[in-house]
Every structure is written in C-alpha cells, then in structure tokens.
Amino acid sequence: MKIAKLIFRNVFRHKLRAALTILGVAIAVMAFGLLRTLVTSWYSGANSAAPDRLVTRNSVSFIFPLPLSYRDQILRVPGVKNVNYSNWFGGQYIDKQHFFARIATDANTFQTVYPEYLLSPDQASAWMKDRSGCIVGQKLADQYHFKIGDVITIVGDIFPGNWQFVVRGIYHGKEKSTEESTMYFQWDYLNEQVLKTMPTRANKVGWYTVQIQNPNDAARVSEAVDALFTNSDNETKTETEKAFQAGFISMSSAIITSLQIVSYVIIGIIFLVLANTMIMTARERIREYAVLKTLGFTGQHLMILIFGESLSIAILGGVVGILITFPMAAGFAKGMESFIPQFIVEPSTLIIAGIFAVVVGIISAIFPANRALSMKIVDGLRQVG
Amino acid sequence: MPDSIVEVKNVSKIYKRDTMDIPVLQNLSLGVPEGEFLALMGPSGSGKTTLLNLIAGIDRPSSGSINIAGTDISTLSESALAKWRSRHVGFVFQFYNLIPVLTAYENVELPLLLTDLSKADRKKHVETALGVVGLSDRIHHYPKQLSGGQEQRVAIARAIVTDPTIIVADEPTGDLDRKSAEDVLALLEQLNQEFKKTIVMVTHDPAAAEKAHKTRHLDKGELSMN
Ligand SMILES: Nc1ncnc2c1ncn2[C@@H]1O[C@H](COP(=O)(O)OP(=O)(O)OP(=O)(O)O)[C@@H](O)[C@H]1O
Ligand SMILES: [Mg+2]
C-alpha cells in the first residue's frame, strides 16, 4: 500500500491532538476493561460454588435465623452426608474502612464440608482446641499482617460487645479462584457468649450448609429438607450453593446493572472523542482531498485514507488502553481484595474492548468519508484552507 | 487552423445555487493547437477558472462537448474521468496545493502512485521533474520549509512528472512576488518551448500573458480574440 505513509503522517499531523485522542481512547478502553472485570469478578463467586452443597436458610429472609435443633433432622434426610452451620458475625475491625467477612462456623464439620480451604493439621487442631481461636485466609493475613498467635479485636454490632479472637491458623485456597479473605471462628464460642448476654438469641444459626452424597440429588434433597419444616414457625428454603450465591449477588444487581450501563456509556464516549477528531480533521482537509481527486485519486483511495487514519488512532488507543489495564487492574485488585477475592482481567474482556475500539474507529470514519466522497472537486478547491 | 489538441465546442455552464441558475459560460467554443501556450484573461467572475476546470476534466459542462487529444471527456464516467486526468492533465494552482505532511519528493511522487511504475522508476521520474524545476537540492524539504516560489515549482514538478498531454495553470503567479513569478513563468515557457507542452494558463497579470503565444479574453462568459 503506497499511501500507508500518508495515512501515518496524517495521524500525527497535529501531534497534540493525536496524542490527546489516542489517550482518550486508551483511558476509555481501560475504564471499560476495569468495569467489565468488576462485573465478571463479581459473578465469579457464584462459579466457585461446590455442586454437592446446598444452603438451607429461613424462607422469610436470610436475616432471620433457624433453630440449632434442625441440624439433627436435616442429617437424617436420605442423601445428606454432612451438615455445617454458620452465622454471619458482622462487627468492625478498627473502623468501617477495614472490611472483611467474619463468620462463626461449626468447626467440627468445617473442613469436611469445605474441603477447598486447606489448613495444616497442626493449625487445625490448635484451632479446635481454642474456643476463641480463629482462622484467616492467606490474602487477609497478608493484607493485615496477621500472624499465628495475634489477637484480633472486633467490636460487635449484630452481636454487641468487644470480641477477641486468637489467630490459630491461616488457610489457603485449593483452587486459584478460592477466596482467601474471610475470618472463621468457632460457632460454639459465639453461642457461649450469647447465652450469657442475650439468652433468647442463643442456639440459633444463620444458615445450614448441607453436603449431599450425589449432586444429582440436589433437587430431591432440597425438597425433602424444606418438607421437614413446612408449617413450623421457621420454614426453610433450601437451594444449591450456586443458586444461593447467585441470589446473594443479585441483591446488588442494581449496582451491577449500572456498572454495565456505564461501561457502554464509555464506549459512547470513545466514539464521541474519535468522531470529533475525525470530523475536524476531514473538514480541514477537504481541499487536500479535492487536490488528490484532481490528481486522479478515486473515492476508494480517499476511503482508505480516512478509514485508515481513524482505525490507526482507534487501534493505537486500544492497544495502549489494554496495556494500561493490567497495572490498573493489579492496583484495583489490591485495594478491593476483601470485597472481591478474584479480580482478574479476562482475555474476553480485552477482546471485547479491542473489538469496540475497532468498531468505533470504523463508525467514526463514516461521516467524514462520506463528506469527502460526495464533495465536488470544484467546490473542494474553492474552500479556503 | 492546425489540429486542435483541446477542442471546446458550444459549451455552456450553468451553476445552480439553491433555486437560482447562475449562467457562467454561454455557448463557448475554443480550440487550442498542440504545443500552444495560451493565456486566458478577463475580469474577476468572468468564468476563467470555470472554463479551465472544464478543460481539465474536474467539472462537467451543462451542455456542449470537450474533446482533448481525441477523447470526448464530457461523456466519460466519473472513474474513467479520474483515470483520464491522471494520465493527461497536469495542474498548477494559485495556492500550490501541496500536501503539507509530504516532502517535495513525496508530493511529486503522488501522481505516480497511481501508475504501475516500480519504486526505482518513480524515483527516476521524480528526480528528473525536480531537476527540471531546479529543486534537486530541496528534495527532502517539507512545503513549509520552502518559499512560495519554490512551493510553486514543486507543484509544477508534480504537474509534469506524469508527462501529461496538457498543463493547466490557474493564476500560477497570483500569490508570488515579482521575482518568483518570473522564475515560474520562465519555467512554464521552458516547458512549452523545450518539452513542447501545451499549456493553458489563467492570469490577471499582463506580464504573465506576455510570455504566452496567444491571449484570449473572457468577458461575461464570452471569448474575444486579442
Ligand atoms: N462551484 C460553484 N458554484 C456556484 N457558483 C460558482 C461556482 N464556481 C464559480 N461560480 C460562479 O461562477 C462565476 C465565475 O467564476 P470563476 O471562478 O470561473 O471566475 P474567474 O473568472 O475565475 O474569477 P477570478 O478571476 O476571481 O478567479 C462566478 O460568479 C462564481 O461565483
Ligand atoms: Mg479564477
């Protein structure tokens, strides 16, 4: 292509304008990439759910507890292998900024029901022996520099009081996608304290995690469990862990939807930035296009020039944007660790961003190209340049 | 009258602006013999540029025919006309109209990009053309690094590099100082005398017209002999 040189020179004819446009496209591509990553990572929690686990909760709402006595009844349902129970603890560590999940769980069944959390045998038995002991994920430990033997003080809100926990173990995720940002402590410790201070709230659990023998039995077992408690004071709702997490996630679906909308708004902004540059450019060059036509260059040549220029800017901006997405995402991942354990830019996100950049490059050139093509040479030459 | 290389026959040109018709040329005929250097003069707005553009095939007559070296260009399709222009016409504009991001060399090379000449052949042609206009030492300069006179000489090199049948020039000295204008005119004269190029030049400048063999006056869309 003999006119590639002219395309290239045209791109950088106004250096500042070219730089600003490329930067604008790059920043938009990066913002798009980060937002999409936020959305996909948000959903990836649901993907890491185990197929052999069901969650049984109060059918009214997640925030109402269930009696501890249900445990034995659930265990007797055919197909049930094991039952773990937990409470969401809440509370504050230092202040609201230092958020991480704290869960009181039945330590006896924890490791069998959640085999994806790896804990050394020494640490496991140390945790079992210490009522006020807790275990924390590796990421959480790294973030707050928690070491074995450290005392973590939490100011309770759902369960008021000053709570102290001793770090007895640091767990690792079995898979890369397993979260490592939660603190687990013994449910018995919680219950003991609650019995002393607010006895009416004792012996209640937030939810049961029911491990089943065969994942294909999920529907049947769920129905059987819920049937046990129909017409009781606390009816239950049992579903797969995946469905439960998806429901949990969809509580924030309004936020997710707005993030998605914003990511498309960003595509619109890339378009405006680039289209504006291309329209300005083509207007300034009408006379040059007329000269080229005079010399015998055809409409096709002009299209190559204009689309080539627009695409070059879009692709340059797209590449720069994709390159700066990685360090930005790494920084983001660090800051959001305790909220979103998995903040990884997926290749598909980058491909989508790249495709959008190219599409925007093409659309931005349509109007100026059309203008250059339909322009009559004599009119173009009369334009004062 | 010898065989005309440019034959304009009964040409009228009416511009339409909104609903108004603006008649510019009326039933005009003109023949230019091969090898002639013709100057077109006339008051502003008399239609000189319009006539030149018709001859050069960048505009179409409302009626009548234009025949250049045996081709009736008023019947050619848009793309055929573009191709025809690239082979047969060299243009020189008042404001040079060089592409600012290309060097002198690259500007002159532009029309050759439409041919199938090899890179080496193009180089030979470009260097010859720039040599003819006396700018061998300015090959890699950009237009803004050249004086107006030099820019116009680059434009002339661009016009002759394809060895066109005719050269059309619209006020080629209109934007130049006396000295540069003389250089450009001397160059056109040389192209006409040495290289036997047929030249049609629009000018306001009597000194420029003097260099031509013949001057025709255009007034209110009609030609008169000098
Ligand atoms: N593209 C166009 N559309 C409409 N009217 C035009 C167009 N080109 C020229 N005209 C009109 O045609 C008339 C002749 O214009 P033209 O440019 O041919 O004159 P000219 O003799 O070259 O004048 P000048 O010496 O000022 O260059 C003018 O009235 C002009 O306004
Ligand atoms: Mg004119």
Side-chain angles (χ1 to χ4, degrees):
Chain A
M1 246 216 314
K2 299 177 202 160
I3 54 178
K5 180 161 46 181
L6 185 51
I7 295 176
F8 181 78
R9 301 261 179 92
N10 276 340
V11 169
F12 292 105
R13 185 180 292 206
H14 298 283
K15 295 209 171 49
L16 182 63
R17 186 197 290 172
L20 288 176
T21 308
I22 290 170
L23 195 68
V25 173
I27 289 174
V29 163
M30 179 203 69
F32 177 83
L34 288 183
L35 281 179
R36 295 256 94 191
T37 302
L38 198 57
V39 172
T40 50
S41 336
W42 195 269
Y43 282 116
S44 77
N47 295 333
S48 64
D52 68 342
R53 287 199 295 249
L54 310 176
V55 175
T56 301
R57 58 174 169 94
N58 194 304
S59 68
V60 179
S61 162
F62 180 67
I63 57 170
F64 295 112
L66 294 169
L68 179 61
S69 59
Y70 282 15
R71 174 179 176 269
D72 294 337
Q73 288 175 268
I74 297 172
L75 258 177
R76 283 198 292 272
V77 172
V80 171
K81 198 158 123 192
N82 219 328
V83 176
N84 169 271
Y85 47 91
S86 305
N87 274 80
W88 179 259
F89 182 72
Q92 259 186 51
Y93 175 65
I94 307 178
D95 57 33
K96 279 214 166 75
Q97 302 295 303
H98 298 79
F99 172 84
F100 54 86
R102 295 141 205 147
I103 293 172
T105 191
D106 173 29
N108 300 309
T109 53
F110 181 74
Q111 283 196 286
T112 27
V113 174
Y114 293 97
E116 69 265 40
Y117 297 125
L118 305 178
L119 199 58
S120 78
D122 289 359
Q123 295 185 357
S125 66
W127 180 38
M128 299 297 281
K129 276 188 211 127
D130 183 358
R131 268 279 143 114
S132 66
C134 72
I135 57 170
V136 294
Q138 182 67 54
K139 264 193 194 160
L140 187 62
D142 290 345
Q143 195 179 353
Y144 291 101
H145 310 291
F146 292 146
K147 296 182 307 294
I148 305 286
D150 281 3
V151 174
I152 301 175
T153 304
I154 308 282
V155 178
D157 39 28
I158 306 174
F159 302 99
N162 263 324
W163 298 74
Q164 295 198 322
F165 305 95
V166 185
V167 178
R168 292 299 176 199
I170 293 172
Y171 70 84
H172 293 261
K174 196 166 159 192
E175 309 287 339
K176 203 166 169 249
S177 59
T178 309
E179 64 85 18
E180 292 182 346
S181 303
T182 304
M183 175 188 133
Y184 290 98
F185 64 94
Q186 292 208 31
W187 186 87
D188 289 347
Y189 179 52
L190 172 70
N191 201 46
E192 211 168 68
Q193 303 298 316
V194 171
L195 255 175
K196 283 187 218 154
T197 52
M198 344 161 225
T200 51
R201 290 177 61 189
N203 297 321
K204 301 243 162 70
V205 308
W207 69 92
Y208 289 98
T209 305
V210 181
Q211 193 173 37
I212 54 178
Q213 259 132 23
N214 183 350
N216 296 329
D217 271 351
R220 184 186 60 77
V221 176
S222 302
E223 273 175 40
V225 169
D226 290 342
L228 288 175
F229 311 109
T230 33
N231 301 322
S232 75
D233 283 350
N234 294 291
E235 297 198 346
T236 59
K237 179 173 158 84
T238 304
E239 56 195 344
T240 60
E241 187 171 68
K242 192 180 176 90
F244 172 74
Q245 287 185 356
F248 198 66
I249 285 164
S250 73
M251 293 204 303
S252 32
S253 72
I255 297 170
I256 294 294
T257 309
S258 36
L259 285 183
Q260 265 163 335
I261 292 172
V262 171
S263 72
Y264 288 109
V265 168
I266 286 170
I267 302 287
I269 293 172
I270 316 183
F271 170 67
L272 291 181
V273 168
L274 188 53
N276 178 53
T277 297
M278 285 312 297
I279 288 170
M280 276 206 298
T281 295
R283 183 176 302 145
E284 290 164 359
R285 303 210 189 129
I286 274 296
R287 193 183 165 99
E288 279 173 41
Y289 295 143
V291 171
L292 288 173
K293 276 189 176 181
T294 303
L295 296 179
F297 286 85
T298 60
Q300 210 181 340
H301 290 116
L302 295 191
M303 296 229 318
I304 293 173
L305 274 184
I306 296 169
F307 278 92
E309 180 170 352
S310 184
L311 273 173
S312 301
I313 295 175
I315 290 171
L316 275 172
V319 168
V320 172
I322 286 170
L323 288 180
I324 58 176
T325 302
F326 288 105
M328 289 302 286
F332 224 73
K334 228 169 161 47
M336 305 279 287
E337 222 158 29
S338 32
F339 300 93
I340 300 170
Q342 273 292 88
F343 195 84
I344 293 169
V345 185
E346 287 182 12
S348 66
T349 296
L350 297 181
I351 291 170
I352 294 174
I355 289 174
F356 272 126
V358 168
V359 169
V360 163
I362 291 171
I363 298 178
S364 301
I366 291 176
F367 179 73
N370 183 45
R371 203 182 142 114
L373 288 193
S374 59
M375 171 249 327
K376 284 201 192 140
I377 298 178
V378 287
D379 293 332
L381 288 176
R382 283 160 64 97
Q383 296 260 325
V384 190
Chain B
M1 180 157 116
D3 260 6
S4 292
I5 197 160
V6 176
E7 256 180 285
V8 177
K9 249 193 233 152
N10 307 323
V11 159
S12 298
K13 178 70 187 177
I14 299 160
Y15 283 113
K16 291 197 186 335
R17 195 172 288 162
D18 303 323
T19 53
M20 269 223 309
D21 280 2
I22 307 168
V24 179
L25 303 177
Q26 278 140 30
N27 215 18
L28 181 146
S29 295
L30 166 73
V32 183
E34 181 156 17
E36 179 157 277
F37 186 174
L38 174 74
L40 276 176
M41 295 189 78
S44 182
S46 57
K48 304 181 296 294
T49 296
T50 302
L51 177 58
L52 200 70
N53 289 345
L54 291 174
I55 293 171
I58 58 175
D59 203 359
R60 289 174 184 279
S62 307
S63 65
S65 74
I66 295 165
N67 195 303
I68 314 276
T71 307
D72 183 355
I73 62 166
S74 36
T75 63
L76 293 180
S77 73
E78 210 53 52
S79 58
L81 194 58
K83 196 161 190 174
W84 176 84
R85 279 198 304 271
S86 71
R87 313 248 313 251
H88 294 284
V89 188
F91 296 84
V92 182
F93 305 94
Q94 178 178 355
F95 299 109
Y96 336 128
N97 281 340
L98 299 176
I99 307 295
V101 290
L102 299 180
T103 61
Y105 181 97
E106 290 160 346
N107 266 289
V108 176
E109 191 189 20
L110 265 183
L112 296 181
L113 297 182
L114 297 168
T115 66
D116 2 284
L117 288 179
S118 70
K119 199 172 173 187
D121 282 340
R122 295 205 298 268
K123 186 165 193 270
K124 228 178 287 166
H125 282 74
V126 171
E127 285 174 353
T128 309
L130 280 168
V132 167
V133 301
L135 286 176
S136 297
D137 56 339
R138 292 286 191 279
I139 279 189
H140 298 299
H141 284 55
Y142 285 91
K144 64 169 181 287
Q145 299 168 322
L146 298 171
S147 71
Q150 288 169 332
E151 277 196 74
Q152 192 61 300
R153 275 146 66 197
V154 173
I156 292 172
R158 179 178 67 186
I160 60 173
V161 74
T162 52
D163 194 21
T165 312
I166 56 165
I167 293 173
V168 297
D170 195 351
E171 302 188 36
T173 58
D175 204 43
L176 296 177
D177 60 60
R178 194 69 263 155
K179 172 75 183 58
S180 305
E182 271 166 22
D183 289 348
V184 163
L185 286 169
L187 188 55
L188 288 175
E189 205 176 11
Q190 181 198 356
L191 289 175
N192 174 250
Q193 312 239 300
E194 260 179 56
F195 300 91
K196 307 293 173 217
K197 290 283 146 203
T198 308
I199 301 177
V200 180
M201 173 179 74
V202 167
T203 186
H204 279 294
D205 178 4
E210 243 167 58
K211 301 274 183 193
H213 299 157
K214 208 193 272 176
T215 302
R216 305 290 299 267
H217 283 271
L218 195 59
D219 203 356
K220 301 198 180 80
E222 284 175 42
L223 273 177
S224 60
M225 282 293 239
N226 200 9

